Every structure is written in C-alpha cells, then in structure tokens.
Amino acid sequence: MMKKVKIEFLLLLLISCYSVSAQENWEFLFNGKDLTNFQQLNGEADYKVVNQELIGTSKIGVPNSFMATKKTYGDFILEFDVFVENGLNSGVQFRSLSNPDIMDGRVHGYQCEIETSARKWAGGVYDEARNGWLYPLTRNPKGQNAFKPGEWNHYRIEAVGSSIRTWINGIQCANLVDDTTAEGFIAFQVHSIHDNTLEGKIVKWKNIKIKTTDLESSRKQVDNEVPEISYLKNQLTADETRKGWRLLWDGKTTDGWRGAKLDKFPEKGWEIKDGILSVLSSGGAESRNGGDIVTTNVFSNFELCVDFKLTEGANSGIKYFVDSELNKGEGSAIGLEFQILDDEKHPDAKKGKNGNRTVGSLYDLIRAENNESSRGKNFKGINNWNNARIVVKDGHVEHWLNQVKVVEFDRFSQVFRALVEHSKYEKWGNFGQLPNGLILLQDHGDKVSFKNIKIREF
C-alpha cells in the first residue's frame, strides 16, 4: 500500500512540474533526439546527439562551426546546461545572422561566452565577427567565478529589447544594453582550434529550453554589483540616469563645448553628422585646423566614457585636468591624456619610451597594458568603434580600453612626479595635479570620430 501511495505521489509531482512548465510557456529548443530543427553553418566540426545531449567535437583546421536553429528569435529567455572539456572555447550565438552577401555567409552576432581560460570571461557577451567584446567580465569579479571548470554549468540568457543579461549557476555575469540586432537565430558553437592537443575535445549541451512570451514577469532581479554597460547611441538608460550619468555631448549641437583657445566652438575643422562628432583631417598638423575643443565646465572626481573611431594612421586624444591658459602658443592644450592612436601606422607609437604613446596609454608617461590576457590590448581596430573609460577618484586614476583596464596610477604620488620629470611635460609645474580641469578632445590633424560621450561626477 505504501509503495502504491509513493508511486502515485511521484506521478502527481511529475504532472505538477509539467503543468508549471506549460503555464510558464517554456518550450524545448532541442528535442534530445535529432537535429531536425537545426542547420550547420560555416565550419565542419562534428555534432551528434547522444543520451539526449547535443555534443560538438573540435576538429583541427576548420573554421568556427555553428549548429543553428532554422527559426529566428527576437525577445526570449534561454536556459541550458553545458559541459566543456578544459582548453576548449565555445559559446552560444543569439540574435545572430548568416547572409551570403555579408562576409560570404559568416555567422555574426551576439555570443554568450563558454570558456575555461584563466581570464574567466565565461558568461560575457562577445559580438562574433562584428563588434568584438561588448561585455568582458573585467568589471564583474563575482561573475568571473560563476563558471565551474570540469562540471555541468547552468546558463540563462535574457534578451528583451536592447537589454541583454546572462547568468551562470544563478550568478549574474553580464548586464549589457545594445540595440545592434533585434532578431536572429540561436546557435551552438564549436570554436576553431589550431593546437593538435585540442583535437577531439568536446562540448555538450542538454536541457535547452526557451521562453518567448510573458517575459517581463519572468525576468530575474538584477544584481546591483553587476555594472550595466550601454552602447546606445547618445542615449542614457534609466539605470544610468539614476546613477548620475549625463551626456557630455548631446549628439546634435555644440552646447557645453568651445575651442580650447577660443570663447566659442570652432567654425571649421569639426563636423556633427548623424549623431557623430568628428575632427576632420588637415594633414596631421597638431591643432592647426579647428583646434582642440574643451568642455565649458571643469571636473574633479568623475567617470568618463567616450566611444571613438580612428581612421588609418590617425592620432588624437582625450585630455583631462586641462588648463587651457597654460599653452597659448602653437600645439595642443596641456593635460593628462588618454592616447588615441593607430599603433600600426602612426610613427608616434614608436616614440616616447617603451610604448607609452600607444592607444590607451597615459600619453608619454605610462604604457597601456592588458594584464587580463596574454592576447594584448583589447583594441577593436581601425574604422571600428572603441570605448575609452577614464575613472578619477581623488589621486587614483584608471584608463580602460573596451572595458579592460590598461593604466592605473596615483597622480599625487612620487612615482608619478618622477615620470613627469622624465617626460615632455617636465616644464609644466604641477602637471596633472590640478584640483580640477577641463576635458578635451584633440585635433591632431587626422580624422577621428566620437559619440556616446557621457560622464558622472563623484
């Protein structure tokens, strides 16, 4: 009798779980039997179905391989479990595209990272074959420890409107705002390999389910310790407004800016078009055309974010703690500088000392370095949008290039003063140590574009 009651109870429990799932409108994306609803794109890595698991096997010398849904999805919540062998890189594409007219059909779009490397960026958001890393986990230490190597890990991706959020094992990893693509397929990646020791390693997925209705009421609460990173064009999110951000440039007018050596905005040399502010080319001469532009307000403790795009061979910079009265002669105004440079083509990259004039560096003083990875600076290249982030809290200053910290220093320290004494700034008293100053965008005679210029003060 007891055995019968127990069986009946288990049946009721199963029925109850099924009912809850049905009420919540989840559906299985992968049926656990075959790949009828999928198509393989790009590479020829091996995929098979075993024990209701989708298994991908790495194959030397083939491009990134994707097992993609035939159906496209816009807003959704996706959950799955994944196991990946050590050393293998993988990911799950979403809102992704493959068009024969674009890069010969190469898959491009958002990817939720699956990896086992020491940098610990699993759960971050990468924009495959398009915009590169949008949300590495460099600013989310808690999220970096969510993924457990050698174990099954549970992923959750919420893509609702321009909001993209990820979790691994219940820990939030990414909190991204981006509106590049609204809809596309979902695909399971086996990354290309070039190391024979990785041949035959596997990644496997199971319990893959998706929800496309009643999403707002189903969303998880955001962890307040996970920073929101937004790429909306000249717009602030509600979260940014709440945290004190404001646009330093409105995307339309010259309000809040003037020439560094003028009492108004330059009449030539700068262009505002389609929400983009560009300094125009004039043959590489420093501040000889429109000249530098500076804010009309001064700043002391702040966090500044600027998207910038370099043309080939270009040079520019973002300066802060600028005193526009210091240099009334030829050349640029004086201040600390986040260097913007084509390191490959501009000769200034080889000047200075040990690379301290390369992109992201504290110009002529501290070389930009990426300590998060052996792959070098997280620079997205010429004619692509890159992000500069400068954080100043009293004496402590940080430079971030595309969300990776590349410079850190104390502007009131003996070390900093010693660096200044051996630089081109030696003749300027108290260089970099003003209590406050202007923010400057540099005219170095090359075309460089800016957008999404925003700041918050502490």
Side-chain angles (χ1 to χ4, degrees):
M1 182 68 178
M2 183 64 68
K3 187 174 182 180
K4 182 179 178 181
V5 170
K6 189 175 290 185
I7 291 172
E8 288 176 348
F9 173 76
L10 290 172
L11 286 172
L12 287 171
L13 185 61
L14 287 171
I15 292 169
S16 173
C17 289
Y18 174 80
S19 299
V20 169
S21 179
Q23 288 171 7
E24 292 180 349
N25 298 318
W26 287 96
E27 61 178 286
F28 284 103
L29 197 64
F30 166 56
N31 63 18
K33 301 176 184 177
D34 55 45
L35 298 173
T36 304
N37 299 323
F38 294 81
Q39 59 180 332
Q40 188 163 346
L41 300 173
N42 297 175
E44 299 175 351
D46 295 324
Y47 288 87
K48 60 184 177 180
V49 179
V50 179
N51 297 327
Q52 298 187 317
E53 297 170 0
L54 171 60
I55 301 176
T57 304
S58 60
K59 194 173 182 180
I60 196 80
V62 302
N64 290 351
S65 305
F66 303 90
M67 187 58 66
T69 59
K70 295 177 181 177
K71 183 178 177 181
T72 60
Y73 297 87
D75 289 359
F76 63 85
I77 298 174
L78 175 71
E79 292 191 357
F80 58 87
D81 296 324
V82 63
F83 175 92
V84 59
E85 290 192 311
N86 190 52
L88 197 61
N89 183 286
S90 180
V92 171
Q93 296 289 138
F94 58 97
R95 291 182 177 174
S96 292
L97 307 168
S98 175
N99 188 321
D101 298 328
I102 302 175
M103 298 181 287
D104 294 324
R106 183 176 176 182
V107 169
H108 57 281
Y110 303 120
Q111 178 189 131
C112 185
E113 180 78 353
I114 299 169
E115 66 156 22
T116 59
S117 79
R119 70 181 180 181
K120 297 182 177 181
W121 288 5
V125 179
Y126 181 75
D127 200 358
E128 176 80 17
R130 193 166 58 182
N131 294 316
W133 277 101
L134 299 177
Y135 202 110
L137 296 195
T138 45
R139 294 175 58 192
N140 181 8
K142 186 192 296 186
Q144 286 185 301
N145 294 311
F147 186 88
K148 304 300 180 186
E151 301 179 16
W152 281 98
N153 288 270
H154 182 73
Y155 273 64
R156 179 183 175 100
I157 303 171
E158 294 182 359
V160 182
S162 59
S163 174
I164 297 169
R165 300 168 183 166
T166 69
W167 284 260
I168 299 178
N169 301 322
I171 298 172
Q172 187 169 2
C173 295
N175 186 11
L176 170 68
V177 181
D178 187 85
D179 59 359
T180 304
T181 307
E183 183 175 328
F185 56 72
I186 292 167
F188 300 85
Q189 183 200 54
V190 175
H191 203 282
S192 61
I193 57 169
H194 305 282
D195 181 347
N196 289 327
T197 64
L198 298 177
E199 173 89 25
K201 290 205 170 189
I202 65 169
V203 53
K204 51 187 181 179
W205 298 268
K206 65 180 181 180
N207 301 327
I208 306 168
K209 62 180 183 177
I210 194 167
K211 180 181 175 67
T212 57
T213 60
D214 193 29
L215 298 179
E216 284 297 337
S217 63
S218 304
R219 302 185 76 183
K220 288 176 68 71
Q221 184 174 349
V222 172
D223 185 338
N224 290 328
E225 294 181 15
V226 179
E228 179 187 82
I229 297 176
S230 172
Y231 294 90
L232 297 184
K233 187 176 180 180
N234 304 322
Q235 298 178 56
L236 296 178
T237 67
D239 183 69
E240 286 176 324
T241 302
R242 186 166 54 250
K243 291 179 177 176
W245 286 93
R246 64 183 177 88
L247 291 176
L248 198 55
W249 177 59
D250 62 15
K252 300 174 184 178
T253 72
T254 62
D255 291 352
W257 294 83
R258 64 172 176 85
K261 299 174 184 179
L262 303 171
D263 57 6
K264 61 181 181 178
F265 198 87
E267 294 181 356
K268 64 175 185 176
W270 289 83
E271 177 184 72
I272 295 174
K273 185 177 180 180
D274 299 327
I276 295 171
L277 174 64
S278 299
V279 56
L280 303 179
S281 175
S282 59
E286 183 178 345
S287 296
R288 298 287 182 86
N289 192 18
D292 303 338
I293 59 172
V294 295
T295 55
T296 54
N297 293 327
V298 296
F299 299 91
S300 180
N301 292 317
F302 60 87
E303 180 178 1
L304 171 70
C305 283
V306 181
D307 289 344
F308 66 91
K309 182 164 66 173
L310 282 159
T311 53
E312 187 173 330
N315 185 352
S316 182
I318 303 167
K319 297 188 180 183
Y320 51 105
F321 290 108
V322 170
D323 181 349
S324 59
E325 298 298 314
L326 277 182
N327 181 22
K328 287 293 190 179
E330 291 186 352
S332 185
I334 302 301
L336 297 171
E337 180 177 354
F338 183 111
Q339 171 74 318
I340 295 176
L341 193 78
D342 179 351
D343 291 350
E344 296 296 322
K345 298 291 181 68
H346 198 285
D348 211 29
K350 295 179 175 61
K351 296 179 181 179
K353 295 180 180 177
N354 302 319
N356 65 6
R357 295 187 179 185
T358 58
V359 65
S361 296
L362 177 64
Y363 179 75
D364 208 49
L365 294 170
I366 302 175
R367 178 181 65 245
E369 295 179 325
N370 178 9
N371 295 321
E372 297 285 339
S373 171
S374 61
R375 303 180 188 182
K377 286 183 290 191
N378 190 32
F379 180 61
K380 298 183 181 182
I382 304 306
N383 293 317
N384 294 317
W385 286 106
N386 289 269
N387 178 264
R389 177 172 177 254
I390 302 168
V391 184
V392 179
K393 292 184 178 179
D394 298 319
H396 187 83
V397 183
E398 298 173 356
H399 286 188
W400 294 68
L401 178 62
N402 294 319
Q403 314 306 330
V404 176
K405 184 162 61 178
V406 291
V407 167
E408 186 171 15
F409 65 99
D410 183 341
R411 66 191 184 100
F412 297 132
S413 68
Q414 287 182 319
V415 171
F416 176 77
R417 287 193 288 270
L419 288 170
V420 172
E421 288 170 2
H422 293 85
S423 76
K424 63 183 290 184
Y425 299 114
E426 181 181 11
K427 63 181 179 180
W428 305 104
N430 295 319
F431 173 79
Q433 297 182 312
L434 299 174
N436 53 50
L438 304 168
I439 291 170
L440 175 151
L441 300 180
Q442 186 182 41
D443 170 14
H444 209 292
D446 302 310
K447 184 175 181 181
V448 179
S449 297
F450 304 92
K451 66 176 181 176
N452 299 338
I453 306 172
K454 54 193 175 185
I455 196 167
R456 64 171 175 168
E457 297 180 75
F458 305 120

